[in-house]
Structures are given as C-alpha cells and as structure tokens.
Amino acid sequence: MSKIIASAAIRGASRLVKQAEEMLEKAITEKGADFTFEFPDTAYYMPLIYALTGFAVKNLADMKVALSMAKEQLHSEPEEKIWKPYLGEALDSGMASLFAEEIIMALRYIYGLEPATDPETGYVYNGFITDTIQRNLGIQLVDGTMPGFAAVIGAAPDDDTAVSIIRELQEKNILIFLAGQVNGNSVTKQLLRKGVELGWDTRIVPVGPDTEHTIYPLDWSIRASLIFGGKKPGDFKGHLKYTKDRVFAFALVLGELDDIKWTTGAGAINMGYPAICDTDVPVIHPTGVCIYEEVDKEFDHSKIVQKAIEVRGLKITIEKPPIPVAYGPAFEGERIRKEDMFIEFGGSRTPSFEWVRMKEMDEIEDNKVIVVGDSWKEKYEKGGKMPLGIVIDVAGRKMQKDFESVIERKIHHNINEAQGVWHMGQRDINWIRISNNAKKEGFTLEHLGIINSTMTHTRFKSIVDKVQVTIYTEEEDVLKIQEEARQSYKERDQRLGGLIDENVDTFYSCLLCQSFAPSHVCVISPERLGLCGAYNWLDCKAAFEIDPTGGNQPIKKGELIDARYGRYTGIDEYLRKASGGAVETLNLYTIMENPMTSCGCFECIVAIVPEANGVMIVQRGHTGMTPVGMKFTTLAGTVGGGTQNPGFMGIGRNFIISRKFLAGDGGIKRIVWMTKNLKESLREAFTKRAQEEGVPDLLDKIADEDICEDSEKLLEFLSSVGHPALEMESIL
Ligand code: SF4
Ligand code: ZN
C-alpha cells in the first residue's frame, strides 16, 4: 500500500519541480536572473527553503539554486540527501514539492497573480501570510486560546457539511486555513455561498484556490520555529522537530486525492502534520518507510474533526456559558454592522458602564442575574438603543481588591466571544451591540449576565467563589451607579499609580511563551508589563493565585546588586533555572547590558541609534523603514528566540510611559524616533512623563516617519529642535 502512495507523491513532486523550472526559466528570460523578489512583510526570504537549508533566496538566480536542491531530493541516492537520516524516500520528494511550491508562489507574485482572486465571486484570497500576523497570534498560540491549526483542503460533499465542519473547528478555537479544490468546488466557495464571514477575524483564512497554496500555512508554521524557537536557518532537524513537537497542525482532506495532494501531504508529514481524509485512502503503515505520523481516514463528517484532534493529540477544553448562540474566541473578531444590529448600548449613544466590585461572601448569591427596571423587556423588544449598567459582584476567600480590575478587563472577551454580540472599550466608555440574528436565536439581556458569571467563574476559578450580576436599564439608575463606579475606577488608578518596583518584594515571571520560545522568560514588575502587552504585574499575581503551578510564578527580588540598571540576586537566580541556563543575569532598566530577552510576540521593538545617542521605537505592524535601516520585520528577526541582544529589545507598548523605561540609560529622553502611531496612542501619558523629566515638549522633539526614515535626516532634525539626547552622556 505504502508503495502506491510513495509513487503518487514522487510523481507529484516531479510535476511540481518541472512546473517551477519552466516558470522560472520564463521569468529569467523575461526579467533577468538578478531580478529580486521578497514575499510581503517577512524577514525570512522564502521561509521554508531558508529554514531548512539556510539559503536566503533573494532573486531569480537564487531560486534556481534552491530548485536544484529540490531536484537533488528527487534524483540523488537516498543517503546523499541532506535529510535522509531523518526521513524516508516519499517524504524527501514531499519536501522537494514544498520547495517547488514555494518557488511557484514566488513567481506567481512576481507576475501579479498572487494573492489569487476567485473569478466567479471576485473573492480575494489571503495569499502569503506575513510575519506580523505570526507575531500577532503569538500569545493566543501559547495561552491555549488557540490549541491548533487545520488546513482544510478540497471541498465537502455539500455546502451544509462544509459549514458544520468549519463551525466545529471554530468552536474548538482552531485556526483554519482553506486551500485546494475538487472539480472546481472548494470549501471556500461553499462557505461564501452560505454567507459565512471569512478572514483573520473569524479565524477562517482561505489562502488560495489550489492545493499548492497549502505552502502558505506551511511556511507560516515553519516561521514559528525561526521566530519563537530561535532555531537557526539550516538546522533542518531542529526545525522539523520543533514543528512536530510544538505546532499542532493537521490537514483535513475532503474529496478525492490527486498526485499534488499526495505529494504536498508527504511534505507536510515531514513537519509532523498528519492528514485525515474523508475518502478511502490507503493508510500508510510504517513499513520500511520512516513516518512518524500517519494518514488516516474518517468517512463520517460529523466525526472527522474529533478524529483529527485525536490523531494530532490536541488538548482542547471548552467552557461555554448556557446561552442560545455559539461561543468562543473565534467569534471575538466578528463585526456587527448597523444593518445587522438589533440593539446597542453605550458608545456615547446612551449612558453605559461596566464595573466589577468585590463583596463579602454572604452579601451575594452565586450565579444570580438580576435585571433591574420594570419595563426592560418592552424597551429591549423595541430594539434601537438603551442605557445599560453591568455590575459584577464577586466574592471569594482568595479574592483581593486588586483583582477587580483584572476581572473587569475580561468582560470584553467574555461578551465578545458570543456569536452575534459585540463589545468594545471598558469602564464607562464601553459599547455593546447585539445582532438581529442573536436576537432571533433568543439572546436577551439576562444572557449578558449569564455569560459574565459563567466566564468569571471559569477564568478565575479558585479566587472567585461567587458571582452575581446586576444589569441596570433605567437611565436614572445607570447614571447614579455610574458615579459610584467612577469613584471606584479613580481609587483603583490611584492605588495602581503608587504601585512601584521598589515597594514590592516580589516580581512575577511569565513562562507562557516557553511553549514556543523555550528559553524565554518575561520578568514582570509593577512598572514593567510583559512584552506582549497582555500581562501586567496584577494579572500575574491573580494568575498565580488561580494556578500556583501555572505559567506565572512569583520571584523574590532578593538583594539589589545594581540600582541603576535594576539587577537583583533573586531574579538572576530564578532566571538561570527558568531559562535552562540561557540567561545568566538580567538588567531590568537598561537596553545596553544583559537586557530582557524576547520571545517574538513583542508589541514594539526598541533599538539604539548610536549616531543619535538615543533609541528608536517601532510597533508591530508598521511596514515603513526606520532610521536604523531595518523595517520592523527585519528587526524582529534579530530580536526574538529568547536571547539577549544588547541594543535591541522587545517591549509592551505601555512600558514606554513607565518611569522604569530604560531608566538606567537616561529614560524617555533617549527616545529620538518613534512612529506616529505610538506618539498618538500614548500622547497624554507620555506628555505627563515628559513633564516629570523636565522636558514638557519632548514628544515634539522626537522624530517620526513623516519627518525622516533615515539616520542622516534624523540627526539634522534632532539638532534643529535641540533634542536632549544629543547632550546626554554617550549611550555606548
Ligand atoms: Fe509571552 Fe511574556 Fe506575554 Fe507571557 S508576558 S505571554 S511570556 S510575551
Ligand atoms: Zn511571547
């Protein structure tokens, strides 16, 4: 049996290599061998080829070299093949296919054919997946909210089956890529016909119409190993082990298989990704050929997702509140347009707020939802807009006043994860919409309460024993209790403002990203949040209470060794152990000497600009050039992977306005360039900090992309405005 498959895979590989060769020859004739090419927004050239061979493809001539490597995989004796000790013959041809597919896609980009468009509907596929998206998804990959990835190849027997398979994957929070077709039909087309919202927001990402497009998710997944794993280009064993052990991907192949599907599948198996088919495929058994995952089959479409999860060994735990609509992070990104909206609250249209309040155990009744106001049902039935106050009272033996804000910040996710319900903002500037569809399914105001009590219990088990939710709908009540809430927000902010590194003896670690970046540890202090921006000191404190053996551990600061740079004995000791020896010592308040490591999901990168005697800051997603001569993606490629890189550091956005930001290097006065996006989003708090530093107009003295994108113009600008960094002691 395995012979049949091997020969199909080898046949497919030969065809792909030949196709790539022909396309490449044509391109070289028309454009010249030194014609350069880059996939959009990546620092990793042709990622799969780069990861496995270390060869950086930069132009058409390089593609020819890479293609000859693929050809060698096809023709040479097995033991000459670079990965022979690791893989069998059919799998070698599979990897050759992936190389060829990567080259084919590059050439299609050169000719303007990618991202592909569906001729019937005009739908534009995603095409190549950028580094930015890889980094954006970083935290979800590690905190368990996104337990796996499915490439769904081909077409389901009918549209409804396609929808139900995809919904099941969505409800299990699995990120879905769609590619390939069967006789002109595809899951993408099936979902489009059914009006399913596609895209990153709903985690259903059609990458292209052909099987060859499966290369996009594959070379996206290999970048996890480069970006987070810190594996070196060329370390093919390391990369393939990494993807097998840490990237929980699998393929669902719907409909008949052809040679191209077999050979692409063989390539994916190299990476540890099994395929589950709905047709009577011969199942590979490891007879002679070394295969660590298998191709499997399941004819029943209502069981195929479960089968895939078992084969790939995904751990999935789903907590769903008892509400009449679907629920899960996959629905978080969904928008509700005005036409689809049944009712809305807040958003400066009506008074509205949300507030978590700590109570004594005997003051509240667990899981009770109270909707106040006699006429709320009539008002709600009318639709349109209405005032809304949500008060969540929590009590628990391990509950602390400080956790109110931590729990409150989750309201956004709690509500947003319901299908057809949308939430934005927080506190007294929140905004909620309920869709017509959700209303039709029977969603009411009470469900807003049920969602919050269920999810607060789920997310904060062991610190929350009781949750009671009260929903106010009368304008008078909302306004009155909003005042109390505002008072409480204010007190909280004051208390938080007084929470400084010197006043606590315990910092926290975050080890979540170790599942992807094994030596990375975020050290989180009251004045320095995690570099992904998602965890601050209080979050970690709460997380430790919830799960004392989890990813956030207390670190006793120990003796202060260096006050200026922020170095402590306790932290060094902890880090040596927790980083597996990769980090010997850490300085919290400098970028110049033993700075914090980065995993890869940083919100921003700080880099020194030696000529300007300062630093620049660029945020993830910024695509322009920066004064250090590198774009964000390129910079990011040099910072991640859990190593210390003096002069470069990944940080959370809000760290910029902390008093401890590069405090040992001179603080915010060192910032000479920062994107407009950062300037605008931090303006208020930054200006306050600048006043404290005695340079109230500092923000205007900092250059941005409109002023310059190179260091020469930067220096001109800095001297013209008299930037303080020019007068400071040398940063080097
Ligand atoms: Fe990863 Fe650090 Fe964020 Fe934790 S705080 S999830 S380790 S980036
Ligand atoms: Zn991370």
Side-chain angles (χ1 to χ4, degrees):
M1 280 301 195
S2 68
K3 280 243 165 58
I4 304 172
I5 294 160
S7 60
I10 291 166
R11 248 190 344 258
S14 306
R15 236 177 74 199
L16 286 170
V17 169
K18 189 150 171 281
Q19 189 193 342
E21 226 171 1
E22 285 167 10
M23 287 173 74
L24 184 57
E25 283 313 318
K26 179 168 170 281
I28 290 177
T29 313
E30 289 173 10
K31 302 190 186 275
D34 54 1
F35 185 87
T36 57
F37 171 76
E38 261 176 7
F39 277 117
D41 188 27
T42 182
Y44 302 99
Y45 312 98
M46 299 183 68
L48 194 87
I49 294 171
Y50 184 58
L52 295 189
T53 68
F55 181 58
V57 175
K58 295 176 184 165
N59 58 29
L60 294 178
D62 292 342
M63 282 187 209
K64 208 163 162 171
V65 177
L67 196 58
S68 69
M69 293 185 204
K71 269 166 82 179
E72 271 167 39
Q73 300 309 306
L74 283 183
H75 300 305
S76 65
E77 286 306 309
E79 49 278 8
E80 288 170 21
K81 301 178 181 181
I82 50 170
W83 38 71
K84 176 58 200 169
Y86 205 56
L87 309 167
E89 182 161 6
L91 301 179
D92 286 340
S93 69
M95 202 42 93
S97 296
L98 300 189
F99 278 32
E101 287 176 347
E102 208 169 32
I103 291 168
I104 290 171
M105 288 308 147
L107 292 164
R108 286 178 53 91
Y109 259 101
I110 289 174
Y111 281 95
L113 301 170
E114 288 293 309
T117 306
D118 178 42
E120 286 162 39
T121 56
Y123 180 79
V124 181
Y125 291 88
N126 184 83
F128 182 81
I129 302 163
T130 63
D131 289 3
T132 301
I133 287 186
Q134 170 78 269
R135 291 173 196 283
N136 284 346
L137 293 174
I139 315 150
Q140 298 177 49
L141 305 180
V142 298
D143 71 0
T145 52
M146 197 180 270
F149 318 92
V152 183
I153 317 286
D158 55 73
D159 296 1
D160 288 330
T161 307
V163 173
S164 70
I165 291 173
I166 295 301
R167 287 288 182 232
E168 190 178 346
L169 289 166
Q170 266 187 311
E171 288 217 13
K172 297 199 156 57
N173 307 329
I174 291 168
L175 176 61
I176 306 155
F177 299 107
L178 306 177
Q181 47 181 292
V182 178
N183 301 324
N185 197 12
S186 69
V187 173
T188 305
K189 292 186 186 194
Q190 294 176 316
L191 298 182
L192 283 172
R193 281 197 288 271
K194 288 302 218 176
V196 174
E197 195 184 325
L198 304 178
W200 289 101
D201 285 345
T202 54
R203 301 183 174 190
I204 312 169
V205 185
V207 287
D210 302 319
T211 304
E212 289 88 324
H213 287 104
T214 313
I215 189 64
Y216 289 143
L218 292 175
D219 71 12
W220 175 72
S221 73
I222 199 91
R223 265 174 288 164
S225 178
L226 287 160
I227 292 179
F228 301 106
K231 296 269 175 286
K232 294 283 166 276
D235 175 11
F236 65 91
K237 276 191 191 175
H239 286 294
L240 297 179
K241 183 165 183 344
Y242 184 96
T243 52
K244 176 179 185 277
D245 291 347
R246 296 177 191 267
V247 181
F248 292 99
F250 59 87
L252 290 182
V253 184
L254 306 178
E256 290 304 319
L257 276 81
D258 53 24
D259 291 354
I260 303 296
K261 282 181 186 149
W262 274 120
T263 198
T264 306
I269 287 173
N270 280 329
M271 301 172 75
Y273 309 152
I276 291 78
C277 309
D278 66 350
T279 51
D280 194 14
V281 293
V283 171
I284 301 182
H285 289 292
T287 46
V289 185
C290 165
I291 300 168
Y292 36 69
E293 295 286 357
E294 299 188 6
V295 176
D296 222 318
K297 53 190 169 186
E298 172 58 66
F299 303 138
D300 183 344
H301 290 99
S302 68
K303 295 197 183 124
I304 196 164
V305 171
Q306 197 45 47
K307 174 90 174 200
I309 286 169
E310 283 159 22
V311 172
R312 189 63 182 101
L314 299 191
K315 280 177 218 69
I316 296 188
T317 41
I318 312 241
E319 314 266 1
K320 184 185 180 300
I323 51 170
V325 293
Y327 193 85
F331 305 103
E332 245 198 280
E334 139 208 73
R335 296 168 295 259
I336 298 176
R337 286 168 309 182
K338 230 175 156 62
E339 312 86 85
D340 304 328
M341 182 192 84
F342 165 67
I343 193 164
E344 65 186 325
F345 318 91
S348 56
R349 288 153 172 80
T350 65
S352 167
F353 70 94
E354 58 202 37
W355 179 27
V356 169
R357 187 167 63 173
M358 182 169 139
K359 288 274 171 188
E360 293 302 322
M361 288 288 267
D362 54 5
E363 284 181 291
I364 58 174
E365 194 180 313
D366 192 25
N367 287 326
K368 188 169 178 189
V369 176
I370 311 156
V371 187
V372 180
D374 294 337
S375 57
W376 78 268
K377 281 201 172 109
E378 290 147 47
K379 274 196 266 173
Y380 180 75
E381 285 308 317
K382 256 194 273 150
K385 56 183 178 188
M386 71 192 273
L388 187 75
I390 302 176
V391 177
I392 302 176
D393 289 322
V394 295
R397 271 151 302 157
K398 286 165 83 182
M399 179 65 194
Q400 303 177 18
K401 194 90 180 132
D402 277 347
F403 297 159
E404 285 181 350
S405 62
V406 177
I407 297 172
E408 198 176 276
R409 262 198 297 137
K410 288 290 176 197
I411 297 176
H412 172 71
H413 301 281
N414 296 347
I415 295 182
N416 237 344
E417 287 182 16
Q419 188 178 28
V421 188
W422 175 88
H423 179 281
M424 213 177 95
Q426 49 164 330
R427 293 187 170 181
D428 55 350
I429 50 164
N430 65 348
W431 185 8
I432 300 172
R433 282 182 164 180
I434 295 174
S435 75
N436 282 317
N437 269 340
K439 166 71 171 44
K440 238 180 271 156
E441 302 286 337
F443 194 93
T444 69
L445 284 188
E446 262 174 312
H447 292 119
L448 282 180
I450 292 172
I451 288 175
N452 278 303
S453 71
T454 312
M455 293 315 288
T456 303
H457 272 299
T458 306
R459 295 191 206 273
F460 298 97
K461 36 179 168 297
S462 85
I463 56 177
V464 159
D465 296 319
K466 283 181 170 183
V467 186
Q468 173 178 306
V469 183
T470 314
I471 292 178
Y472 297 92
T473 62
E474 302 294 339
E475 180 153 339
E476 199 185 321
D477 294 339
V478 175
L479 288 174
K480 193 174 119 230
I481 299 174
Q482 193 180 45
E483 274 318 306
E484 284 175 46
R486 281 180 178 153
Q487 193 51 41
S488 156
Y489 303 148
K490 209 154 133 211
E491 282 162 19
R492 259 190 224 160
D493 288 346
Q494 271 159 5
R495 201 168 47 235
L496 270 182
L499 195 58
I500 58 172
D501 289 4
E502 289 79 0
N503 291 355
V504 302
D505 59 6
T506 305
F507 293 167
Y508 287 88
S509 66
C510 185
L511 305 170
L512 282 181
C513 281
Q514 288 201 341
S515 61
F516 272 86
S519 62
H520 173 73
V521 180
C522 271
V523 175
I524 299 177
S525 72
E527 293 178 272
R528 181 169 192 168
L529 78 173
L531 54 84
C532 59
Y535 294 90
N536 64 27
W537 187 82
L538 275 180
D539 295 323
C540 295
K541 191 170 178 223
F544 175 66
E545 288 293 336
I546 294 164
D547 181 4
T549 59
N552 297 107
Q553 293 294 318
I555 317 176
K556 285 267 174 251
K557 274 167 31 181
E559 301 294 318
L560 180 66
I561 314 173
D562 184 336
R564 177 174 168 197
Y565 276 3
R567 189 167 154 227
Y568 295 89
T569 52
I571 293 179
D572 281 358
E573 258 163 56
Y574 176 87
L575 272 180
R576 274 193 287 272
K577 262 187 270 147
S579 72
V583 178
E584 283 286 321
T585 179
L586 175 85
N587 291 319
L588 276 166
Y589 310 142
T590 175
I591 191 174
M592 297 309 296
E593 207 183 293
N594 298 312
M596 188 103 79
T597 61
S598 299
C599 43
C601 40
F602 30 77
E603 286 188 297
C604 303
I605 294 175
V606 191
I608 54 161
V609 191
E611 312 87 293
N613 203 29
V615 300
M616 54 146 268
I617 314 174
V618 56
Q619 87 279 7
R620 180 172 70 211
H622 183 76
T623 51
M625 194 34 90
T626 74
V628 293
M630 286 187 265
K631 294 180 179 172
F632 177 87
T633 33
T634 319
L635 266 173
T638 67
V639 183
T643 54
Q644 290 178 315
N645 305 281
F648 299 88
M649 194 163 65
I651 60 162
R653 190 180 270 261
N654 279 332
F655 184 47
I656 300 171
I657 48 175
S658 160
R659 290 192 188 91
K660 294 296 191 296
F661 173 79
L662 307 195
D665 306 320
I668 53 171
K669 283 188 285 189
R670 284 287 182 191
I671 306 173
V672 292
W673 190 97
M674 175 157 91
T675 60
K676 272 193 326 198
N677 175 305
L678 288 171
K679 278 180 162 181
E680 284 320 312
S681 67
L682 299 172
R683 182 169 285 278
E684 209 184 309
F686 191 94
T687 307
K688 230 168 107 198
R689 280 286 300 120
Q691 276 158 1
E692 289 174 5
E693 296 293 324
V695 196
D697 57 348
L698 181 59
L699 205 55
D700 302 325
K701 296 187 166 172
I702 297 174
D704 57 43
E705 67 269 32
D706 279 358
I707 295 166
C708 62
E709 289 181 327
D710 63 277
S711 65
E712 215 171 289
K713 287 218 191 66
L714 174 64
L715 281 177
E716 273 170 36
F717 172 80
L718 297 176
S719 23
S720 76
V721 295
H723 190 289
L726 300 178
E727 304 295 320
M728 293 165 79
E729 64 171 312
S730 168
I731 192 168
L732 293 173

